[in-house]
Amino acid sequence: MTETISVLVNGKKITSEVEPRLLLSDYLREKLDLTGTHLGCEHGVCGACTILVNGRTVRSCLMLAVQVDGCEVDTVESLTEGDGMLSPLQQAFADNHALQCGFCTPGFLMTITGFLENNPDPNDEEIKQAISGNLCRCTGYTNILKAVKQVSKSRKLKEVVKE
Amino acid sequence: MTFTGKNIKRKEDYRLLSGNSQFVADMQEPGMAEALFVRSEHAHAKLNKIDISKAENMGGVYSVIIAEHFNGEVDQLPPHSEFTLPQNLIDEINPIIQPCPEDILAKDRVIYVGQPIAIIVADNRYIAEDAAELIEIEYESLPSITDPYKAMEQDVDIIHEQMSSNIQAQFDLSTGNYDQALKDSDNVLKERIKTPRVAANPIETRGILSTYDSRNGKLQVWSSTQVTFMVRKYISKLLGLVEHNVRVVAPDVGGGFGSKCAVYPEEIIIPYLSMKLDRPVRWIEDRMEHLLSTRQSRDQTHDVKVSYNNDGTITGIQDYFVLDNGAYNPLVLTCSYNTAAHLRGVYDIPNFVIGGNCVVTNKAPTIAYRGAGRPEAVFVMDRIIHLVATSLELDPVEVMMKNMIKPEQLPYDSGLIYRDGEKVIYDSGDYPDGLKQALELANYDKFRKEQKKVKSDGSYVGIGISSYVEGTGIGPHEGAIVRLDSSGHVMAFVGSAPHGQSHETTLSQICADEFGLDPEKVTVKAGDTDLIPYGVGTFASRGAVTAGNAVHVASKKLQEKLLAIAGEILEISPSDLEMNDGKVFPRAMQNKYVTLEDLALAAKPGPKCKVPEGMEPGVEATHYFVPPTVTYSSGYHVAIVEVDEETGFVDILKYYVVHDAGKVLNPKIVDGQIQGGVAQGIGAALYEELVYDDNGQLLTGTYMDYLIPTAMEIPDVEMDHQEFLSTRNPMGVKGVGEGGTISPPAAITNAVCDALNPLDIKLNDLPISPSKLRQRIKVAKTS
């Protein structure tokens, strides 16, 4: 038994036949070959599979593909700009050595993308709290914190310049 | 311009940040099937019957196999011969080692929860999981042994039938005269000190994809491993294949920390299945499987007896310890011997007796985890320092300084033999100065003054210190092939493959320096057994030392050859030539030059070849770096904590590290290793423990129960550096991968005890969970 779903994935409309039990994470990775979204625990704790659904962060291992019928889904592949340039957040990760093995990184990037949309000027505690649902085993987190601060600071600067 | 020592940005980052990385789970091959392991639900049981018929007949299932299906075709997995001991060490410590090969799938009996029993290969994981539900296994439960002390008793069941007892390995070693020291000393203390069983938990679990090309007999295996060459060797051996026909590739690897530093049964059987079924087969471990069956570590219990004088001088240590292997320990004595060789750390304690037992129990198998026996040793030693200081009412720093190896004693011969058969001789460093630096960084004296006031106001704040010396960069070898291609680009191929350590960046810095090139013009390739004939792997803080020096020397060799070729073209002695920015020119006449492309062309075999007589055509050089023995990194960790008396919660207020990793290749990457290592150590100190019940059932099988620290719990580590070059390799580097993880349990535990002082609380076991600490505080207050 399959269902037809229609999803806007990274700005592109995609229609698929899926089994109702297919996880959203497996749909993205196995059917659409968007392997940037990673699976670390498949029980909703590690955060490696975090993506945006209608602009809100979700764990794609805890959602079914049929649930995103008619939704907008953004994965880590959406962050790189059209010419392949890294986005300011991705660049900040590179600048601050905020990744080592890089496996958890896409989840962090998507969590932070969603977070900064709602809170563009966070303090340290707010950042820590925001990323506390993502586990990283390599970096010890502080460089990730620095990367987030670099981005929010540059955003702030931009706003000042605009004014 | 030199590039080593500078913060060159990582070459690895773009693909990892943009979602273009390639981990094993990201790979699909045409016609690929997925495998699922059915694992034991019992810690010890007879397998009376396994009925796979229903599963086999399910649509979408290609194969269901159990051990009897490949009887005689696939051998047992032996303990890893790479980790056997050299003869002179065997003569010294007289180890007892009982061979303990591992069945690829359980036959008629299971000996731990999570042991693989059957494999289902199906169209996809969903179908394989459906099929798993249809397999009927009739277990006959047997009594399980979860306590290693019980396992050592005379009248217990022996878990491995071919062994004469459950003690798989045992050794003793000593230096000086402990009994005499005990007689001559003012005091003695006796303690039991324990480090629990933990799991490495890389965020990427293990995974294997195998394809077989029956036309040319070539097996291609992608595995999330730290040791590609070992995986290739055992696949070839156990499946009876010509080694050349097996190619093992570790693509991007999402962390390992030791848990991927072994060959697993799954790495043998998935390739076997891809051959048998003649189709690509992929297996990706899920997190529950990881917690159940991926090799675990630590799990040591030490009974120590320490003799010491009233002035704080420690005169002798006697330590008998037990390492709970679980069902298997393929690295045999590696971790336990590391513990013995490292226990005294920075201290000059002349009389030392240590004996280790590695015991088989009905729990998951064990191997090494970041630090491999050193965090255990350091926890014991630094608890000793703290306990001696407390009993004499001295500041721990006084006891540390009193016993520390002085700079003038270096190189310091500790009287032991290292695992590689060489003497344990610390090569370079200044330990008291390192401690002073750490105390200054932490503002120790000021803290001590303020602590009194804060404590009198009712807050429990404390400071704890830990130190370590770590043998890093173990051999036997690691190699590099450095090659110039016809576009003038330099390639370096190495056998040691990264899982987050930034090889592509740091090794390109080393290479670039030799050629006067920008690191952008150097590409480093690793993680593929087809790149270079011999390789070992990335573990034991060895990458920078072994692969780093191999790249360094191979680059030098190639540079010399390029100068020789340029000398032929320019008709100038090579000693008068210089190489920079992709060009070779006479020192006196820089506008007369040949480019690297010219040299690559001139090196091609044939009549136009300009390679000097006596040299082989081609622009490639190989070097295998064989370290004389390990090189000794060292460090100090200082933790400042606050304990909530009501909840037992420990808050790390500040954390400081001073370390010596010899020559630093890339400061940002070195600091990143330390910060990340400390986070893992904090996990071990405060949160992480694999808990088994008396029946051998794992109670911490998900991330809801096995707690890994998050950004909320990890402070920004303040660091300072010492840079005592190693005398044992041309670049002077020492390893830095594990140092961060070694000391936090000891530093934090000492800090917690210091915070609660004068309450008599002994924390000789980890983790310091809130419930445990709260209980201990309660008891201390009422006694």
mmCIF file of all heavy atoms in Angstrom, chain B residues 92-95 170-174 320 353-356:
data_model
loop_
_atom_site.group_PDB
_atom_site.id
_atom_site.type_symbol
_atom_site.label_atom_id
_atom_site.label_comp_id
_atom_site.label_asym_id
_atom_site.label_seq_id
_atom_site.Cartn_x
_atom_site.Cartn_y
_atom_site.Cartn_z
ATOM 1 N N GLU B 92 59.345 -10.609 30.462
ATOM 2 C CA GLU B 92 59.373 -9.744 31.643
ATOM 3 C C GLU B 92 58.128 -9.933 32.517
ATOM 4 O O GLU B 92 58.226 -9.965 33.731
ATOM 5 C CB GLU B 92 59.463 -8.281 31.164
ATOM 6 C CG GLU B 92 59.541 -7.247 32.252
ATOM 7 C CD GLU B 92 60.938 -7.073 32.827
ATOM 8 O OE1 GLU B 92 61.896 -7.595 32.228
ATOM 9 O OE2 GLU B 92 61.055 -6.429 33.893
ATOM 10 N N ILE B 93 56.971 -10.022 31.886
ATOM 11 C CA ILE B 93 55.744 -9.993 32.702
ATOM 12 C C ILE B 93 55.052 -11.357 32.789
ATOM 13 O O ILE B 93 54.024 -11.479 33.452
ATOM 14 C CB ILE B 93 54.737 -8.931 32.183
ATOM 15 C CG1 ILE B 93 54.225 -9.268 30.770
ATOM 16 C CG2 ILE B 93 55.349 -7.544 32.222
ATOM 17 C CD1 ILE B 93 53.090 -8.352 30.295
ATOM 18 N N ASN B 94 55.610 -12.372 32.140
ATOM 19 C CA ASN B 94 55.042 -13.733 32.186
ATOM 20 C C ASN B 94 53.519 -13.757 32.083
ATOM 21 O O ASN B 94 52.849 -14.249 32.992
ATOM 22 C CB ASN B 94 55.442 -14.426 33.492
ATOM 23 C CG ASN B 94 56.934 -14.608 33.543
ATOM 24 O OD1 ASN B 94 57.530 -15.068 32.577
ATOM 25 N ND2 ASN B 94 57.538 -14.198 34.650
ATOM 26 N N PRO B 95 52.984 -13.254 31.006
ATOM 27 C CA PRO B 95 51.517 -13.207 30.960
ATOM 28 C C PRO B 95 50.922 -14.597 30.721
ATOM 29 O O PRO B 95 51.553 -15.448 30.096
ATOM 30 C CB PRO B 95 51.242 -12.318 29.756
ATOM 31 C CG PRO B 95 52.399 -12.513 28.859
ATOM 32 C CD PRO B 95 53.585 -12.772 29.754
ATOM 33 N N GLN B 170 46.389 -12.502 32.100
ATOM 34 C CA GLN B 170 46.890 -12.100 33.424
ATOM 35 C C GLN B 170 48.362 -11.723 33.274
ATOM 36 O O GLN B 170 49.076 -12.341 32.495
ATOM 37 C CB GLN B 170 46.758 -13.305 34.348
ATOM 38 C CG GLN B 170 47.027 -13.026 35.798
ATOM 39 C CD GLN B 170 46.750 -14.284 36.629
ATOM 40 O OE1 GLN B 170 47.172 -15.378 36.259
ATOM 41 N NE2 GLN B 170 46.042 -14.134 37.715
ATOM 42 N N PHE B 171 48.775 -10.725 34.025
ATOM 43 C CA PHE B 171 50.215 -10.413 34.042
ATOM 44 C C PHE B 171 50.567 -9.737 35.363
ATOM 45 O O PHE B 171 49.683 -9.231 36.074
ATOM 46 C CB PHE B 171 50.588 -9.488 32.871
ATOM 47 C CG PHE B 171 50.033 -8.095 33.036
ATOM 48 C CD1 PHE B 171 50.780 -7.077 33.608
ATOM 49 C CD2 PHE B 171 48.735 -7.809 32.636
ATOM 50 C CE1 PHE B 171 50.244 -5.798 33.789
ATOM 51 C CE2 PHE B 171 48.200 -6.534 32.796
ATOM 52 C CZ PHE B 171 48.955 -5.534 33.374
ATOM 53 N N ASP B 172 51.835 -9.757 35.676
ATOM 54 C CA ASP B 172 52.349 -9.086 36.870
ATOM 55 C C ASP B 172 53.630 -8.384 36.487
ATOM 56 O O ASP B 172 54.398 -8.903 35.699
ATOM 57 C CB ASP B 172 52.738 -10.125 37.942
ATOM 58 C CG ASP B 172 51.519 -10.730 38.591
ATOM 59 O OD1 ASP B 172 50.881 -10.018 39.368
ATOM 60 O OD2 ASP B 172 51.216 -11.897 38.280
ATOM 61 N N LEU B 173 53.841 -7.242 37.068
ATOM 62 C CA LEU B 173 55.155 -6.636 36.885
ATOM 63 C C LEU B 173 55.492 -5.801 38.098
ATOM 64 O O LEU B 173 54.596 -5.383 38.849
ATOM 65 C CB LEU B 173 55.210 -5.813 35.595
ATOM 66 C CG LEU B 173 54.332 -4.598 35.438
ATOM 67 C CD1 LEU B 173 55.095 -3.347 35.823
ATOM 68 C CD2 LEU B 173 53.915 -4.500 33.990
ATOM 69 N N SER B 174 56.765 -5.592 38.295
ATOM 70 C CA SER B 174 57.158 -4.793 39.451
ATOM 71 C C SER B 174 58.501 -4.150 39.188
ATOM 72 O O SER B 174 59.262 -4.581 38.335
ATOM 73 C CB SER B 174 57.231 -5.668 40.698
ATOM 74 O OG SER B 174 58.302 -6.561 40.574
ATOM 75 N N TYR B 320 46.418 -4.367 42.472
ATOM 76 C CA TYR B 320 45.912 -5.533 41.742
ATOM 77 C C TYR B 320 44.570 -5.141 41.150
ATOM 78 O O TYR B 320 43.697 -4.673 41.882
ATOM 79 C CB TYR B 320 45.790 -6.755 42.655
ATOM 80 C CG TYR B 320 47.155 -7.246 43.068
ATOM 81 C CD1 TYR B 320 47.619 -7.070 44.368
ATOM 82 C CD2 TYR B 320 47.983 -7.846 42.129
ATOM 83 C CE1 TYR B 320 48.888 -7.476 44.721
ATOM 84 C CE2 TYR B 320 49.259 -8.260 42.474
ATOM 85 C CZ TYR B 320 49.712 -8.081 43.769
ATOM 86 O OH TYR B 320 50.979 -8.465 44.099
ATOM 87 N N VAL B 353 54.321 -2.342 42.334
ATOM 88 C CA VAL B 353 53.903 -3.698 41.974
ATOM 89 C C VAL B 353 52.522 -3.577 41.342
ATOM 90 O O VAL B 353 51.647 -2.919 41.916
ATOM 91 C CB VAL B 353 53.760 -4.597 43.225
ATOM 92 C CG1 VAL B 353 53.303 -6.003 42.829
ATOM 93 C CG2 VAL B 353 55.058 -4.662 43.986
ATOM 94 N N ILE B 354 52.328 -4.177 40.192
ATOM 95 C CA ILE B 354 50.991 -4.120 39.601
ATOM 96 C C ILE B 354 50.690 -5.445 38.899
ATOM 97 O O ILE B 354 51.560 -6.046 38.276
ATOM 98 C CB ILE B 354 50.823 -2.902 38.659
ATOM 99 C CG1 ILE B 354 49.356 -2.737 38.238
ATOM 100 C CG2 ILE B 354 51.736 -2.987 37.446
ATOM 101 C CD1 ILE B 354 48.988 -1.335 37.786
ATOM 102 N N GLY B 355 49.469 -5.876 39.079
ATOM 103 C CA GLY B 355 49.044 -7.114 38.424
ATOM 104 C C GLY B 355 47.644 -6.935 37.890
ATOM 105 O O GLY B 355 46.783 -6.344 38.545
ATOM 106 N N GLY B 356 47.435 -7.425 36.693
ATOM 107 C CA GLY B 356 46.114 -7.270 36.074
ATOM 108 C C GLY B 356 45.519 -8.604 35.672
ATOM 109 O O GLY B 356 46.233 -9.503 35.227
#
